[in-house]
Amino acid sequence: MNIGAFALSVFLFASALLGGVAPSHAFLILDNMVFIGTKSGAAVFKIKNTGDEPEAYRLEWTQLRMKEKGGKEKVAQGETIPGVMAADSYMYVAPRRIMLMPGQVQHVRFMVRRTENMASGEYRSYIVFQPEEIPPTFNPEEATSNSVPAPGKAVAQISMLTGYRIPVFFLHGDTILDVSVKDAVLGRDKSGAPLLNFTFVREGTRSALGGLTVHCTTGDKEVKISSGEIRIFTELESRRYSYLLKNMPEDCVNITLDYLPQSLDPDYNGMAMRLAEIPAG
């Protein structure tokens, strides 16, 4: 799937009306996107219920637009995003409804259904893990003194449910991607710590999905001083980034920026690309 699989816990909090608070719930996601290359037709995504209560989810598709300054915005139904081809109509997902007991792991399978007349390029949609209400076993006689309603008032319990969305990509046919860094400037933040500002530029027909590492040259050595994720989807040509360099040595001479695409990118060969080098002084 994507670069450097990481564990992301998404906590879903439930609260009871009239002051009572229900136990918190969580599910564990072992990656932050689904990516299917041209030589593959399927991917498996794992989730785990790490809470102490059963959890239920339904999986739904949606479209989101990446904003240049960060974040995403939902796209109205029927609206298209320039430079983006939606993936959902070509995808089969199973299962679409999930019930997870505490500690249970569920595999979600994504499969591409390619057609002869599909355009070459990158396709992307978002899958939403939308929590569903599980009827609670709520006994008014067992309510705490803080949650007992006044005489004649109805007793109710409400759960606040929050969904989590991940991007799903697949490639079809030939795609191209060129990346570069421009306007790299080393400055200082308000506290006086070194701050590296730069613009990451994407050109081509697929998204830039990878990691950037910042090194400092001191004599004949290179020291890693920062790293981060790069994401620029096909609706954008560039994004401005800022990296705080708290670990930059005082004798740093030059700063270099190296980019490594995610492991399923067609250009991935295990070697990072050096995109920029600027003086540290």
Side-chain angles (χ1 to χ4, degrees):
M1 295 167 72
N2 78 318
I3 59 168
F6 69 99
L8 173 64
S9 292
V10 182
F11 292 94
L12 307 173
F13 295 96
S15 63
L17 192 64
L18 305 172
V21 179
S24 64
H25 308 284
F27 69 97
L28 183 71
I29 294 180
L30 296 179
D31 219 327
N32 62 353
M33 70 176 178
V34 173
F35 190 96
I36 301 174
T38 55
K39 297 181 180 180
S40 177
V44 175
F45 195 85
K46 296 180 183 179
I47 64 172
K48 180 180 180 179
N49 180 1
T50 58
D52 54 6
E53 298 288 342
E55 295 287 344
Y57 303 94
R58 68 180 184 275
L59 276 61
E60 302 175 343
W61 288 106
T62 191
Q63 303 296 333
L64 298 177
R65 179 190 293 110
M66 173 176 277
K67 297 189 290 185
E68 186 174 352
K69 294 185 178 180
K72 313 289 190 305
E73 60 184 1
K74 192 171 182 179
V75 177
Q77 187 173 4
E79 181 185 355
T80 59
I81 308 172
V84 178
M85 294 186 288
D88 56 314
S89 61
Y90 298 98
M91 299 293 297
Y92 173 76
V93 183
R96 294 296 294 266
R97 301 182 89 94
I98 298 170
M99 170 73 82
L100 290 174
M101 301 304 292
Q104 183 179 354
V105 176
Q106 175 69 55
H107 293 71
V108 180
R109 189 168 181 82
F110 294 82
M111 290 168 281
V112 180
R113 297 179 290 197
R114 305 179 193 272
T115 63
E116 293 183 0
N117 59 350
M118 287 178 64
S120 294
E122 176 188 284
Y123 292 74
R124 185 192 83 232
S125 294
Y126 275 76
I127 197 75
V128 182
F129 290 82
Q130 183 62 47
E132 291 191 306
E133 183 71 41
I134 299 176
T137 55
F138 184 77
N139 185 352
E141 300 299 327
E142 297 177 355
T144 65
S145 59
N146 290 332
S147 61
V148 174
K153 297 290 185 179
V155 176
Q157 187 174 28
I158 296 177
S159 293
M160 307 299 292
L161 301 175
T162 304
Y164 183 69
R165 302 171 295 198
I166 60 167
V168 178
F169 301 83
F170 76 84
L171 302 181
H172 181 73
D174 295 329
T175 60
I176 58 173
L177 174 65
D178 290 317
V179 296
S180 60
V181 167
K182 68 177 185 179
D183 301 330
V185 178
L186 181 63
R188 299 278 175 176
D189 70 356
K190 294 181 179 179
S191 68
L195 183 68
L196 177 64
N197 297 297
F198 61 93
T199 299
F200 197 97
V201 180
R202 181 206 67 83
E203 296 179 280
T205 56
R206 66 179 187 269
S207 299
L209 307 169
L212 190 95
T213 304
V214 182
H215 290 92
C216 172
T217 303
T218 58
D220 59 350
K221 296 181 180 179
E222 278 194 350
V223 180
K224 178 181 174 181
I225 55 176
S226 187
S227 63
E229 183 181 66
I230 296 292
R231 279 195 176 190
I232 306 180
F233 294 170
T234 52
E235 59 265 40
L236 297 179
E237 295 180 351
S238 66
R239 292 182 69 186
R240 191 73 175 165
Y241 287 87
S242 296
Y243 281 25
L244 192 61
L245 308 180
K246 291 183 177 180
N247 299 321
M248 189 175 80
E250 293 183 0
D251 58 346
C252 183
V253 178
N254 291 315
I255 293 175
T256 58
L257 287 77
D258 298 334
Y259 174 74
L260 181 67
Q262 57 99 7
S263 60
L264 292 179
D265 187 277
D267 292 336
Y268 177 82
N269 61 7
M271 301 291 291
M273 298 178 284
R274 179 142 297 177
L275 299 183
E277 182 173 352
I278 63 172

